[in-house]
Amino acid sequence: MKTAVVTDSTAYIPKELREKWGIYMIPLSVIFDHETYREEIDISAEEFYKEVKQRELPSTSMPPIGEFVALFEKLMKEYDAVISIHLSSGISGTFQGAVSAGDMVDGIKVYPFDSEISAMVQGFYALEAAELAEQGVHAEEILERLKEMKRSIRAYFMVDDLSHLQRGGRLSNAQALIGSLLQVKPLLHFQDKKIVPFEKVRTRKKAMNRVVELLAADANSGEEYRAVIIHANREAEALEWKSELESLFPNVEFLLSYFGPVIGTHLGEGSMGLGWYKK
Ligand code: MYR
């Protein structure tokens, strides 16, 4: 059985890595003043963070269902199945788009997978699936492995300014929480597919230290982990954090990634996250 792996742009897997593993990418878009830009194609993260300073705040949109249908129809010429891995269905309609498109095409079995997360943590699922697909592992077995990964996947992130998440309506229970959260730097995470505060922490440094404690609680078991530091236009700070973490956790492989235009619209510049899973 030949299985294709599809993910969306919010996994922010660099093009070279996608090409190396044969991962297909379907883009979400940012919309500035009625102009639509497909991220990773029409606008890079670097261009976005420049643009956002000069223009009205953008909005975002999921890929049109027709794009999923067109991609799945193209893939059916070469593959028997598709695993389509997407950002959490609690924050975007993208996963549901893949489900609907899968129902519309005949001739290829489509397995949509809700990562219940986003960014490179979602990318971890796509890379794992691609590696197994290349070995000829059956799509259903690949899905079992992804479900197993879900048990150890963790991700925490912090934003500089909560108003982006509030404006985009992606912070759950926002009305009740926002007043008490604006004075602090809440550490955020996903629960039941939605973004919720994990803990209220007063400063960015304290939030980062708390994430390190959470990683230690898992990784101090000595088992092999893979982690990713994700930043919204804060590469120098992220690199510094990466080298600190590498010296603290020799059993963890650390990658560096970024929040691109779509996720950056909802989190705002300066956001930082750390995600990991047991290899
Ligand atoms: C859409 O318009 O469908 C896209 C909506 C994207 C919402 C993004 C909300 C922030 C996600 C943060 C992910 C952090 C992962 C570590």
Side-chain angles (χ1 to χ4, degrees):
M1 179 186 236
K2 212 171 160 210
T3 303
V5 175
V6 170
T7 192
D8 60 69
S9 54
T10 69
Y12 303 117
I13 303 177
K15 194 163 183 247
E16 313 76 65
L17 207 53
R18 273 189 268 128
E19 282 174 357
K20 177 174 174 213
W21 288 106
I23 297 171
Y24 295 85
M25 186 276 278
I26 193 145
L28 281 81
S29 300
V30 283
I31 303 140
F32 281 104
D33 311 321
H34 308 289
E35 270 177 73
T36 300
Y37 299 83
R38 293 165 304 163
E39 66 172 354
E40 306 285 82
I41 297 176
D42 307 322
I43 189 166
S44 66
E46 209 181 1
E47 287 160 343
F48 169 78
Y49 288 110
K50 273 193 199 132
E51 205 66 18
V52 89
K53 291 192 177 75
Q54 289 154 20
R55 298 175 74 164
E56 262 185 39
L57 288 169
S59 56
T60 61
S61 83
M62 59 179 268
I65 293 188
E67 284 206 18
F68 277 109
V69 172
L71 178 59
F72 295 160
E73 281 178 345
K74 180 180 110 178
L75 293 175
M76 83 173 63
K77 299 190 182 104
E78 216 188 309
Y79 299 90
D80 310 295
V82 184
I83 297 186
S84 203
I85 299 169
H86 300 291
L87 77 163
S88 180
S89 60
I91 55 169
S92 171
T94 306
F95 168 77
Q96 196 47 50
V99 173
S100 306
D103 290 343
M104 286 163 156
V105 297
D106 291 322
I108 189 157
K109 177 87 183 122
V110 178
Y111 297 91
F113 181 80
D114 184 351
S115 75
E116 305 186 21
I117 189 87
S118 184
M120 189 56 183
V121 193
Q122 168 190 336
F124 282 154
Y125 287 115
L127 291 169
E128 182 80 9
E131 199 173 332
L132 295 173
E134 199 186 70
Q135 293 162 18
V137 175
H138 192 285
E140 288 180 8
E141 268 182 62
I142 299 177
L143 282 172
E144 284 311 308
R145 168 64 188 139
L146 300 187
K147 284 184 200 152
E148 183 193 325
M149 276 176 80
K150 214 175 237 184
R151 287 197 277 276
S152 73
I153 277 203
R154 303 280 176 271
Y156 299 91
F157 51 103
M158 62 211 88
V159 299
D160 253 4
D161 176 359
L162 264 180
S163 65
H164 299 274
L165 271 175
Q166 187 190 17
R167 187 175 61 97
R170 260 57 176 212
L171 185 62
S172 287
N173 310 325
Q175 287 320 314
L177 292 164
I178 214 87
S180 63
L181 291 179
L182 284 175
Q183 312 309 321
V184 294
K185 295 270 172 220
L187 198 53
L188 304 164
H189 74 153
F190 277 78
Q191 199 173 55
D192 299 329
K193 308 178 186 177
K194 299 225 164 92
I195 299 172
V196 294
F198 175 73
E199 262 174 32
K200 292 182 195 172
V201 185
R202 212 146 271 290
T203 64
R204 185 178 177 92
K205 191 71 209 154
K206 284 191 176 141
M208 287 164 87
N209 289 343
R210 181 68 181 115
V211 183
V212 176
E213 275 176 22
L214 291 160
L215 172 61
D218 282 350
N220 284 353
S221 65
E223 286 163 300
E224 299 286 304
Y225 276 78
R226 177 176 288 154
V228 62
I229 295 153
I230 315 168
H231 67 92
N233 212 23
R234 290 291 181 274
E235 190 175 33
E237 188 187 356
L239 277 170
E240 201 180 306
W241 201 25
K242 182 170 176 274
S243 56
E244 275 172 37
L245 292 171
E246 278 167 340
S247 57
L248 287 172
F249 299 100
N251 55 323
V252 182
E253 175 197 359
F254 287 95
L255 312 183
L256 186 73
S257 185
Y258 56 93
F259 293 119
V262 168
I263 302 298
T265 297
H266 292 273
L267 296 186
E269 189 173 349
S271 305
M272 187 80 84
L274 182 66
W276 63 87
Y277 75 99
K278 188 152 64 131
K279 282 198 210 170

